[in-house]
Amino acid sequence: MEKFDAIVVGAGPAGATAAYLLAKAGMQVIVIERGETPGSKNVSGALLFSQVYSEIFPKFWESAPLERAIVGHAITFLGEQTSVNLDYRDLDEGHVPHNAYSVLRARFDPWMAQQAEDAGAMLMPGFTVDKLLQENGRVVGIEAGGDALMADVVVVAEGTRSGLLKEAGLRTDEYHASDVSIGVKDVIALPEDVITNRFQCLNADEGVAYTCVGHTGGVEGGGFLYTNKDTLSVGVVAKIDAVYKSKLQPHAILNEFKAHPFISRLIAGGEIVEYSAQAIHRGGVHLIGQLYGDGYVVVGSAARLLLNNVMTLRGMDVAVASAAAAAKAILAAREMGDYSHTALAGYEQNFKATNVYKDMVTFKDTYPLLENERLFHVYPELAGAVLGDMFTVGAKPSKKGLKALRDDMRGKVSLWQMLMDMNQIGKGLVR
Amino acid sequence: MKIVACIKYSLTLSELKVDPATRELRLATTPQRVGTIDRNVLEAAVVLKPEGSTVHGLTLAPAGAREAFREAIAMGLDDLTIVDSTNWAAGGPMATAAVLAAAIQKMGDVDLVVCGEASDDGVTYQVPPRLAERLGWPLLAYARNIALAGATLTADRDLDIGMQSVACDLPLVLTVTQETNTPRRPTLMDAVKAKKKPVVVWQPEADLGLSAEALQAAGGVTRIAQEGIVIARKEQLFQGDDMKALANQLLDALLAEHVVAE
Ligand SMILES: Cc1cc2nc3c(=O)[nH]c(=O)nc-3n(C[C@H](O)[C@H](O)[C@H](O)COP(=O)(O)OP(=O)(O)OC[C@H]3O[C@@H](n4cnc5c(N)ncnc54)[C@H](O)[C@@H]3O)c2cc1C
């Protein structure tokens, strides 16, 4: 029987990072990936935030297949026929790496896996791990297509759907439908220069990212639009129970979002070249799953690690940070020759020392916001109405802002309710 | 015994697209992989392999594509030889056969060469017979129910007119069809073991002594010009309101042209 030092299940950002770090430290590592190539099963947007990546993969921007550097972030509130846009641009062209880059996972994930392979890990795409093998309550290996492989430690990095732990009876932490969202995304092709011009970029290396609130089929969720080289990633992430209640197909929600005049003119003339849908955890420090046990660690979104603070959705760098924390613990466990849960507990301590975890704690109060229906249905409309009143020179006398707000609120939200919501927003994002 | 399985890194036809502007096939952007017929080749070679024998993969492909052969190796090859086509100018089945023949001769002591009847993308049916010709060996094409007893191979040849049962002494070149067998899917363990199998890269000139000029000459054919096919339409138009009369006119015309018989 073949035995490895470590088996990594899944070659997403989490799995590839763990494999890379363990192989680099001289461990015999095998990475088993369900897709025919890494990233082929992936749906993500995606914006890659540089900080954590650059700590693990120094100068990754010099060799990784990146689409555009994100020089502009915008948050946009979509009313029925209005848009209110808060557009932030970092106009300092010189500094590298940029805060974030857009990536296409079908191209980026193979690059990450290649880093692991170059460090000596063995990559096995095209195989699905069917179960974890246990001996006396300890994970000792995996089974795939009837073949067993043994290892000192198994790194579970199989992403959101993670069923292996549950199947093995190791998942002690259940979660609810309200903790899950569904992400649907179109990739829309447009000529490179059209994108550059339409989004007011200097050249084809610069891009922007929009986070949108409102106009998602009456369902609590958010839209996004990221510029790639010659495609746009346009999608919606919506609460799965709300989608279910609305009786809408996820793609209908995306279509409604794309039909909004603000979005439709940004994607005009484009051709859909890819459509995909995937479940995604809502994220947050309160939802973090079990991280380790006897003979195994759980990294990335398999452990429900995600950070969504309305402004940014971070899964990839969170996955990388957790995998690095786990790898450090595994290497320490190797020194002791002990891969029990007590030996692997260092993973949790390492992870809690990361900025990623600290950010998760900082934004812990953002999550109730994502449950607040008015954020999605009332305020985007209201923002448009108030600004509309203030900009418009019409037949009626003009109003000052507060008067416009009072008038536009009527019948939609009470002053008291709005003060409560402002407090919630303040707690979640401001103070 | 030494068996060589010739396999091709082919265009994935299901992904082949036509450029709407130029009406040209987008060959450069079509993904490539080891072809489907090549899996039948590998299966046949691996199944035939007697105790103590070896099966060697041989391909003319860009050396950079070596990862694409991982699954082929996992199906049961002992090793893979890639003749690097990265700087390959001479195309065509004659040149390919010349390269494969030179490689098989260099491998030495080969008893059996297995090929697909035709590649997924080229579909010329020419490489195996030309290869047999160059090696000076018999060709046993379209084989089914293949069996090996000592140095004699028996098979049924799947011909349009029926099956022909033949026996032939080694060495020989064998071709298989998609009906010959059902290729296996390698298991994880096969794939793990395949990682340790050697992959050798040969350069046509340095390792096989085939210079660009020699390959050009082996290619034999020089394309002088290519003319499109022009179809002259008769453009007869039957017009009027009386459908019955029009139908009769159409029928008369078809009869006159012998498109339909009386
Ligand atoms: C619509 C959408 C948009 C998103 N946008 C962003 C964004 O802009 N920025 C960002 O940072 N994050 C984003 N995310 C989140 C991000 O995609 C994930 O958090 C991140 O991919 C997690 O990485 P991972 O390695 O843990 O899991 P994954 O990337 O999901 O990788 C898991 C891998 O394991 C493989 N696998 C699964 N099961 C098995 C098995 N049994 N055997 C073998 N292999 C298996 C899968 O094929 C996959 O390759 C988005 C997510 C969605 C759904």
Side-chain angles (χ1 to χ4, degrees):
Chain A
M1 192 165 297
E2 291 278 340
K3 180 154 185 297
F4 290 84
D5 295 336
I7 297 172
V8 178
V9 184
T17 302
Y20 166 73
L21 292 172
L22 296 179
K24 208 170 86 165
M27 286 179 84
Q28 298 275 356
V29 184
I30 183 168
V31 189
I32 303 171
E33 164 57 45
R34 187 164 56 114
E36 284 304 321
T37 53
S40 59
K41 297 258 176 204
N42 198 285
V43 168
S44 144
L47 285 198
L48 178 148
F49 293 90
S50 302
Q51 182 57 40
V52 179
Y53 266 87
S54 62
E55 287 164 16
I56 312 286
F57 302 100
K59 304 213 167 184
F60 72 89
W61 56 91
E62 287 178 0
S63 58
L66 306 171
E67 294 293 310
R68 290 175 187 250
I70 300 303
V71 296
H73 290 272
I75 180 149
T76 307
F77 298 92
L78 300 178
E80 206 48 53
Q81 295 293 336
T82 57
S83 63
V84 175
N85 201 19
L86 199 62
D87 191 341
Y88 162 78
R89 294 243 169 175
D90 179 356
L91 301 173
D92 171 5
E93 291 157 37
H95 65 112
V96 161
H98 288 267
N99 170 49
Y101 295 88
S102 53
V103 296
L104 291 170
R105 296 287 296 272
R107 282 155 72 176
F108 186 74
D109 284 18
W111 178 85
M112 284 198 76
Q114 187 64 48
Q115 307 311 302
E117 274 197 284
D118 290 350
M122 186 187 280
L123 176 69
M124 283 291 150
F127 293 98
T128 302
V129 171
D130 300 317
K131 62 175 178 225
L132 300 175
L133 295 176
Q134 284 170 277
E135 246 167 49
N136 307 322
R138 190 183 175 289
V139 172
V140 291
I142 60 97
E143 198 183 296
D147 279 346
L149 283 188
M150 311 308 264
D152 290 332
V153 63
V154 175
V155 179
V156 179
E158 51 167 351
T160 306
R161 276 199 5 208
S162 182
L164 289 175
L165 290 169
K166 191 170 177 192
E167 197 269 348
L170 294 170
R171 187 127 243 177
T172 48
D173 48 339
E174 266 319 310
Y175 61 96
H176 305 285
S178 57
D179 299 332
V180 185
S181 294
I182 182 155
V184 280
K185 188 191 70 173
D186 279 349
V187 175
I188 297 179
L190 274 172
E192 192 175 280
D193 55 331
V194 170
I195 295 179
T196 302
N197 294 334
R198 195 174 283 181
F199 292 90
Q200 294 165 23
C201 298
L202 218 51
N203 52 48
D205 295 327
E206 284 194 347
V208 296
Y210 287 84
T211 303
C212 303
V213 183
H215 214 269
T216 45
V219 175
E220 289 89 294
F224 61 84
L225 188 155
Y226 307 145
T227 55
N228 305 313
K229 269 256 140 57
D230 52 8
T231 54
L232 303 173
S233 295
V234 185
V236 165
V237 176
K239 278 188 69 182
I240 227 162
D241 49 358
V243 174
Y244 183 76
K245 234 173 53 198
S246 74
K247 300 207 164 59
L248 286 171
Q249 290 293 328
H251 202 239
I253 300 174
L254 176 55
N255 281 342
E256 169 159 347
F257 175 65
K258 288 194 321 194
H260 189 281
F262 180 79
I263 301 296
S264 69
R265 42 193 90 181
L266 291 178
I267 63 177
E271 175 200 352
I272 300 176
V273 289
E274 194 185 302
Y275 162 70
S276 48
Q278 190 171 305
I280 174 172
H281 285 293
R282 312 209 62 221
V285 75
H286 60 298
L287 271 184
I288 296 180
Q290 178 187 338
L291 294 177
Y292 60 92
D294 284 321
Y296 69 94
V297 294
V298 193
V299 292
S301 56
R304 293 176 216 147
L305 294 167
L306 194 90
L307 175 53
N308 180 359
N309 68 0
V310 186
M311 318 280 282
T312 55
L313 174 66
R314 292 168 54 186
M316 296 174 67
D317 66 329
V318 172
V320 168
S322 73
K328 200 166 145 197
I330 290 171
L331 294 174
R334 180 177 65 158
E335 289 298 305
M336 298 183 285
D338 172 12
Y339 293 93
S340 68
H341 72 278
T342 26
L344 293 171
Y347 166 26
E348 185 164 348
Q349 289 150 25
N350 297 343
F351 181 63
K352 286 191 168 161
T354 62
N355 281 343
V356 161
Y357 179 80
K358 288 174 191 157
D359 291 353
M360 291 178 83
V361 173
T362 300
F363 288 105
K364 70 179 186 320
D365 293 323
T366 310
Y367 288 87
L369 255 185
L370 303 175
E371 308 275 325
N372 188 331
E373 295 186 2
R374 284 177 299 279
L375 188 69
F376 304 96
H377 308 320
V378 177
Y379 298 124
E381 193 70 58
L382 196 56
V386 171
L387 283 174
D389 282 345
M390 296 187 66
F391 280 118
T392 307
V393 180
K396 291 187 194 148
S398 298
K399 311 172 202 173
K400 281 191 184 170
L402 202 57
K403 171 88 172 79
L405 177 64
R406 284 258 179 78
D407 291 350
D408 289 323
M409 278 168 64
R410 199 156 293 138
K412 296 193 183 101
V413 56
S414 69
L415 187 59
W416 174 244
Q417 194 58 265
M418 186 154 123
L419 288 173
M420 297 279 284
D421 290 340
M422 286 304 144
N423 185 43
Q424 194 183 44
I425 293 170
K427 240 176 108 181
L429 291 173
V430 187
R431 60 190 144 81
Chain B
M1 179 180 293
K2 215 165 163 181
I3 302 175
V4 169
C6 295
I7 52 181
K8 187 174 180 195
Y9 185 58
S10 321
L11 295 168
T12 310
L13 291 193
S14 56
E15 309 263 338
L16 195 57
K17 296 205 174 80
V18 178
D19 190 309
T22 62
R23 304 249 174 111
E24 300 265 359
L25 289 171
R26 284 179 176 162
L27 295 180
T29 54
T30 306
Q32 284 179 272
R33 60 169 187 204
V34 175
T36 49
I37 185 75
D38 305 283
R39 303 169 67 87
N40 300 93
V41 170
L42 291 159
E43 181 66 28
V46 170
V47 168
L48 273 180
K49 172 181 164 177
E51 196 71 40
S53 308
T54 47
V55 182
H56 310 269
L58 174 61
T59 187
L60 173 65
R66 62 192 291 162
E67 277 306 299
F69 290 90
R70 191 201 302 259
E71 197 176 348
I73 300 172
M75 283 180 74
L77 294 178
D78 290 283
D79 57 35
L80 173 72
T81 300
I82 300 178
V83 181
D84 188 9
S85 68
T86 310
N87 305 314
W88 177 253
M94 293 191 201
T96 305
V99 172
L100 296 179
I104 289 163
Q105 271 151 1
K106 182 173 164 114
M107 287 170 156
D109 302 323
V110 174
D111 303 283
L112 175 64
V113 173
V114 190
C115 300
E117 54 167 343
S119 64
D120 278 19
D121 52 357
V123 214
T124 63
Y125 289 82
Q126 289 195 36
V127 173
R130 291 189 187 282
L131 175 59
E133 186 67 28
R134 285 203 169 253
L135 293 170
W137 297 354
L139 171 76
L140 202 166
Y142 322 120
R144 285 218 225 176
N145 305 322
I146 311 158
L148 198 54
T152 306
L153 188 141
T154 56
D156 294 334
R157 297 186 64 215
D158 187 355
L159 305 175
D160 284 347
I161 45 165
M163 288 284 185
Q164 181 187 42
S165 298
V166 292
C168 186
D169 286 342
L170 301 179
L172 62 86
V173 175
L174 183 75
T175 81
V176 298
T177 70
Q178 289 202 14
E179 289 75 35
T180 302
N181 54 38
T182 310
R184 68 193 60 198
R185 258 196 82 80
T187 67
L188 176 59
M189 211 53 106
D190 294 333
V192 169
K193 290 197 194 111
K195 276 281 187 181
K196 295 165 193 153
K197 302 277 172 64
V199 176
V200 188
V201 177
W202 284 347
Q203 296 302 332
E205 173 132 36
D207 295 297
L208 301 176
L210 293 170
S211 64
E213 298 79 53
L215 286 171
Q216 199 74 50
V221 199
T222 321
R223 179 189 286 174
I224 296 163
Q226 182 177 2
E227 289 177 22
I229 300 167
V230 179
I231 301 175
R233 299 270 173 209
K234 298 228 161 57
E235 299 195 359
Q236 293 183 43
L237 207 58
F238 303 107
Q239 281 171 312
D241 294 328
D242 183 349
M243 280 298 157
K244 204 165 170 188
L246 286 176
N248 278 327
Q249 282 178 38
L250 176 63
L251 194 59
D252 286 343
L254 292 175
L255 283 168
E257 295 283 342
H258 304 292
V259 177
V260 294
E262 206 138 4

